[in-house]
Amino acid sequence: ETGVTQSPTHLIKTRGQQVTLRCSSQSGHNTVSWYQQALGQGPQFIFQYYREEENGRGNFPPRFSGLQFPNYSSELNVNALELDDSALYLCASSAGQVTDTQYFGPGTRLTVL
Amino acid sequence: AQSVTQLDSHVSVSEGTPVLLRCNYSSSYSPSLFWYVQHPNKGLQLLLKYTSAATLVKGINGFEAEFKKSETSFHLTKPSAHMSDAAEYFCVVSDRAYGQNFVFGPGTRLSVLP
């Protein structure tokens, strides 16, 4: 059974640029959630996708957007990058219920200069 | 709104001594509660989960947690710390009344001294 994978591992962007992060969910999971973890803080919920539709969103601006594909993999897109977007971005997959256990990938470290 | 408080930002114990990491939550209904561990430069790993069954929950690596509704607490314990337990620990609340997300606490960094 393959766990949650994310790509790339690290990337560096400059302010104003756009970035796409990718996540492959664990086998059998149809729900993907994205989190932002700033240095020294707990993860903050960005949004969740269930069967290709957005199914909940945290307190993040519209320049944070996402997609989920028929194979349940997902992308997180961030436009007009700001310095404060520098963080570890975590993807988690689950079987679909609200309180189901979420299984996390290793994360993508984004640095915005 | 749901929220999580982790009362200690940093806990330091000696190897072989007990571990206590404290967590209090706020939620209107019957929440699900989790503890996750994050080792440096790694993703989050599930330690244990409470979902309204037994109030004492056993997890991996000898960790356990007790759900106390009257105190709105879900403290994590381990009888004997090991060097490999040194990591960041997050308490998480999830409540179907608040939609599809996990709310994380700020984390407790556990140091284990030889």
PDB file of all heavy atoms in Angstrom, chain B residues 8 12 15 28 53 56-57 62 72-73 75 87 96 103 106-107 109 114:
ATOM      1  N   ASP B   8       1.982  23.313  27.330  1.00  0.00           N
ATOM      2  CA  ASP B   8       3.433  23.452  27.406  1.00  0.00           C
ATOM      3  C   ASP B   8       4.010  23.511  26.002  1.00  0.00           C
ATOM      4  O   ASP B   8       3.759  22.617  25.199  1.00  0.00           O
ATOM      5  CB  ASP B   8       4.058  22.264  28.152  1.00  0.00           C
ATOM      6  CG  ASP B   8       3.449  22.058  29.516  1.00  0.00           C
ATOM      7  OD1 ASP B   8       3.636  22.935  30.366  1.00  0.00           O
ATOM      8  OD2 ASP B   8       2.759  21.043  29.703  1.00  0.00           O
ATOM      9  N   SER B  12      10.802  18.733  28.804  1.00  0.00           N
ATOM     10  CA  SER B  12      12.081  18.041  28.816  1.00  0.00           C
ATOM     11  C   SER B  12      12.037  16.966  29.891  1.00  0.00           C
ATOM     12  O   SER B  12      11.685  17.245  31.042  1.00  0.00           O
ATOM     13  CB  SER B  12      13.206  19.040  29.091  1.00  0.00           C
ATOM     14  OG  SER B  12      14.455  18.414  29.006  1.00  0.00           O
ATOM     15  N   GLU B  15      15.614  10.174  29.924  1.00  0.00           N
ATOM     16  CA  GLU B  15      15.306   8.864  29.352  1.00  0.00           C
ATOM     17  C   GLU B  15      14.893   7.918  30.476  1.00  0.00           C
ATOM     18  O   GLU B  15      15.523   7.878  31.544  1.00  0.00           O
ATOM     19  CB  GLU B  15      16.523   8.315  28.613  1.00  0.00           C
ATOM     20  CG  GLU B  15      16.225   7.086  27.778  1.00  0.00           C
ATOM     21  CD  GLU B  15      17.416   6.647  26.929  1.00  0.00           C
ATOM     22  OE1 GLU B  15      18.557   7.020  27.275  1.00  0.00           O
ATOM     23  OE2 GLU B  15      17.201   5.951  25.918  1.00  0.00           O
ATOM     24  N   SER B  28     -18.195  22.015  20.590  1.00  0.00           N
ATOM     25  CA  SER B  28     -19.584  22.018  21.049  1.00  0.00           C
ATOM     26  C   SER B  28     -20.197  20.633  21.185  1.00  0.00           C
ATOM     27  O   SER B  28     -21.035  20.428  22.036  1.00  0.00           O
ATOM     28  CB  SER B  28     -20.451  22.836  20.096  1.00  0.00           C
ATOM     29  OG  SER B  28     -20.100  24.186  20.148  1.00  0.00           O
ATOM     30  N   ALA B  53     -15.427   5.920  21.901  1.00  0.00           N
ATOM     31  CA  ALA B  53     -15.477   4.556  22.419  1.00  0.00           C
ATOM     32  C   ALA B  53     -14.841   4.599  23.821  1.00  0.00           C
ATOM     33  O   ALA B  53     -15.246   5.393  24.635  1.00  0.00           O
ATOM     34  CB  ALA B  53     -14.760   3.601  21.486  1.00  0.00           C
ATOM     35  N   LEU B  56      -9.923   5.655  27.548  1.00  0.00           N
ATOM     36  CA  LEU B  56      -8.471   5.482  27.569  1.00  0.00           C
ATOM     37  C   LEU B  56      -8.063   4.855  26.235  1.00  0.00           C
ATOM     38  O   LEU B  56      -8.489   3.757  25.904  1.00  0.00           O
ATOM     39  CB  LEU B  56      -8.051   4.596  28.743  1.00  0.00           C
ATOM     40  CG  LEU B  56      -6.540   4.408  28.924  1.00  0.00           C
ATOM     41  CD1 LEU B  56      -5.868   5.752  29.203  1.00  0.00           C
ATOM     42  CD2 LEU B  56      -6.258   3.418  30.038  1.00  0.00           C
ATOM     43  N   VAL B  57      -7.255   5.577  25.506  1.00  0.00           N
ATOM     44  CA  VAL B  57      -6.884   5.151  24.155  1.00  0.00           C
ATOM     45  C   VAL B  57      -5.412   4.777  24.131  1.00  0.00           C
ATOM     46  O   VAL B  57      -4.568   5.554  24.585  1.00  0.00           O
ATOM     47  CB  VAL B  57      -7.136   6.283  23.137  1.00  0.00           C
ATOM     48  CG1 VAL B  57      -6.797   5.810  21.724  1.00  0.00           C
ATOM     49  CG2 VAL B  57      -8.566   6.768  23.216  1.00  0.00           C
ATOM     50  N   GLY B  62       3.938   2.774  22.747  1.00  0.00           N
ATOM     51  CA  GLY B  62       3.718   2.845  24.184  1.00  0.00           C
ATOM     52  C   GLY B  62       2.976   4.078  24.672  1.00  0.00           C
ATOM     53  O   GLY B  62       2.805   4.274  25.869  1.00  0.00           O
ATOM     54  N   THR B  72     -12.522  18.678  29.652  1.00  0.00           N
ATOM     55  CA  THR B  72     -12.201  18.934  28.237  1.00  0.00           C
ATOM     56  C   THR B  72     -10.712  18.758  27.979  1.00  0.00           C
ATOM     57  O   THR B  72     -10.040  19.623  27.408  1.00  0.00           O
ATOM     58  CB  THR B  72     -12.676  20.325  27.763  1.00  0.00           C
ATOM     59  OG1 THR B  72     -12.026  21.337  28.545  1.00  0.00           O
ATOM     60  CG2 THR B  72     -14.164  20.452  27.884  1.00  0.00           C
ATOM     61  N   SER B  73     -10.199  17.602  28.429  1.00  0.00           N
ATOM     62  CA  SER B  73      -8.764  17.344  28.276  1.00  0.00           C
ATOM     63  C   SER B  73      -8.523  16.028  27.544  1.00  0.00           C
ATOM     64  O   SER B  73      -9.377  15.136  27.522  1.00  0.00           O
ATOM     65  CB  SER B  73      -8.080  17.309  29.649  1.00  0.00           C
ATOM     66  OG  SER B  73      -8.484  16.170  30.376  1.00  0.00           O
ATOM     67  N   HIS B  75      -4.931  14.413  27.559  1.00  0.00           N
ATOM     68  CA  HIS B  75      -3.488  14.421  27.809  1.00  0.00           C
ATOM     69  C   HIS B  75      -2.818  13.147  27.313  1.00  0.00           C
ATOM     70  O   HIS B  75      -3.372  12.051  27.435  1.00  0.00           O
ATOM     71  CB  HIS B  75      -3.206  14.587  29.304  1.00  0.00           C
ATOM     72  CG  HIS B  75      -3.780  15.846  29.894  1.00  0.00           C
ATOM     73  ND1 HIS B  75      -4.008  16.989  29.156  1.00  0.00           N
ATOM     74  CD2 HIS B  75      -4.155  16.131  31.177  1.00  0.00           C
ATOM     75  CE1 HIS B  75      -4.508  17.928  29.927  1.00  0.00           C
ATOM     76  NE2 HIS B  75      -4.608  17.438  31.172  1.00  0.00           N
ATOM     77  N   ALA B  87      10.649  14.836  19.684  1.00  0.00           N
ATOM     78  CA  ALA B  87       9.928  15.271  18.483  1.00  0.00           C
ATOM     79  C   ALA B  87       8.944  16.366  18.886  1.00  0.00           C
ATOM     80  O   ALA B  87       8.862  16.757  20.053  1.00  0.00           O
ATOM     81  CB  ALA B  87       9.172  14.104  17.847  1.00  0.00           C
ATOM     82  N   ARG B  96     -17.694  17.082  13.596  1.00  0.00           N
ATOM     83  CA  ARG B  96     -18.514  17.138  12.394  1.00  0.00           C
ATOM     84  C   ARG B  96     -19.397  18.383  12.364  1.00  0.00           C
ATOM     85  O   ARG B  96     -19.839  18.821  11.301  1.00  0.00           O
ATOM     86  CB  ARG B  96     -19.343  15.875  12.238  1.00  0.00           C
ATOM     87  CG  ARG B  96     -20.389  15.645  13.311  1.00  0.00           C
ATOM     88  CD  ARG B  96     -21.126  14.334  13.115  1.00  0.00           C
ATOM     89  NE  ARG B  96     -20.250  13.199  13.250  1.00  0.00           N
ATOM     90  CZ  ARG B  96     -19.943  12.389  12.241  1.00  0.00           C
ATOM     91  NH1 ARG B  96     -20.421  12.603  11.050  1.00  0.00           N
ATOM     92  NH2 ARG B  96     -19.152  11.353  12.435  1.00  0.00           N
ATOM     93  N   VAL B 103      -8.421  20.795  13.500  1.00  0.00           N
ATOM     94  CA  VAL B 103      -7.847  21.970  14.139  1.00  0.00           C
ATOM     95  C   VAL B 103      -6.680  21.502  15.004  1.00  0.00           C
ATOM     96  O   VAL B 103      -6.868  20.691  15.925  1.00  0.00           O
ATOM     97  CB  VAL B 103      -8.883  22.720  14.992  1.00  0.00           C
ATOM     98  CG1 VAL B 103      -8.220  23.871  15.735  1.00  0.00           C
ATOM     99  CG2 VAL B 103     -10.009  23.242  14.099  1.00  0.00           C
ATOM    100  N   PRO B 106      -0.883  24.242  18.975  1.00  0.00           N
ATOM    101  CA  PRO B 106       0.393  24.857  18.575  1.00  0.00           C
ATOM    102  C   PRO B 106       1.587  23.926  18.670  1.00  0.00           C
ATOM    103  O   PRO B 106       2.654  24.242  18.151  1.00  0.00           O
ATOM    104  CB  PRO B 106       0.544  26.018  19.556  1.00  0.00           C
ATOM    105  CG  PRO B 106      -0.239  25.587  20.749  1.00  0.00           C
ATOM    106  CD  PRO B 106      -1.391  24.776  20.242  1.00  0.00           C
ATOM    107  N   GLY B 107       1.402  22.788  19.323  1.00  0.00           N
ATOM    108  CA  GLY B 107       2.488  21.826  19.424  1.00  0.00           C
ATOM    109  C   GLY B 107       3.256  21.907  20.732  1.00  0.00           C
ATOM    110  O   GLY B 107       3.348  22.968  21.363  1.00  0.00           O
ATOM    111  N   ARG B 109       7.081  20.614  22.038  1.00  0.00           N
ATOM    112  CA  ARG B 109       8.353  19.987  21.683  1.00  0.00           C
ATOM    113  C   ARG B 109       8.851  19.174  22.867  1.00  0.00           C
ATOM    114  O   ARG B 109       9.016  19.695  23.964  1.00  0.00           O
ATOM    115  CB  ARG B 109       9.390  21.040  21.296  1.00  0.00           C
ATOM    116  CG  ARG B 109      10.737  20.442  20.861  1.00  0.00           C
ATOM    117  CD  ARG B 109      11.558  21.480  20.108  1.00  0.00           C
ATOM    118  NE  ARG B 109      11.851  22.630  20.949  1.00  0.00           N
ATOM    119  CZ  ARG B 109      12.942  22.748  21.707  1.00  0.00           C
ATOM    120  NH1 ARG B 109      13.827  21.776  21.742  1.00  0.00           N
ATOM    121  NH2 ARG B 109      13.149  23.839  22.420  1.00  0.00           N
ATOM    122  N   PRO B 114      19.688  12.197  27.997  1.00  0.00           N
ATOM    123  CA  PRO B 114      20.279  10.879  28.331  1.00  0.00           C
ATOM    124  C   PRO B 114      20.525  10.741  29.824  1.00  0.00           C
ATOM    125  O   PRO B 114      20.601  11.716  30.560  1.00  0.00           O
ATOM    126  CB  PRO B 114      21.602  10.893  27.545  1.00  0.00           C
ATOM    127  CG  PRO B 114      21.894  12.328  27.288  1.00  0.00           C
ATOM    128  CD  PRO B 114      20.572  13.046  27.208  1.00  0.00           C
TER     129      PRO B 114
END
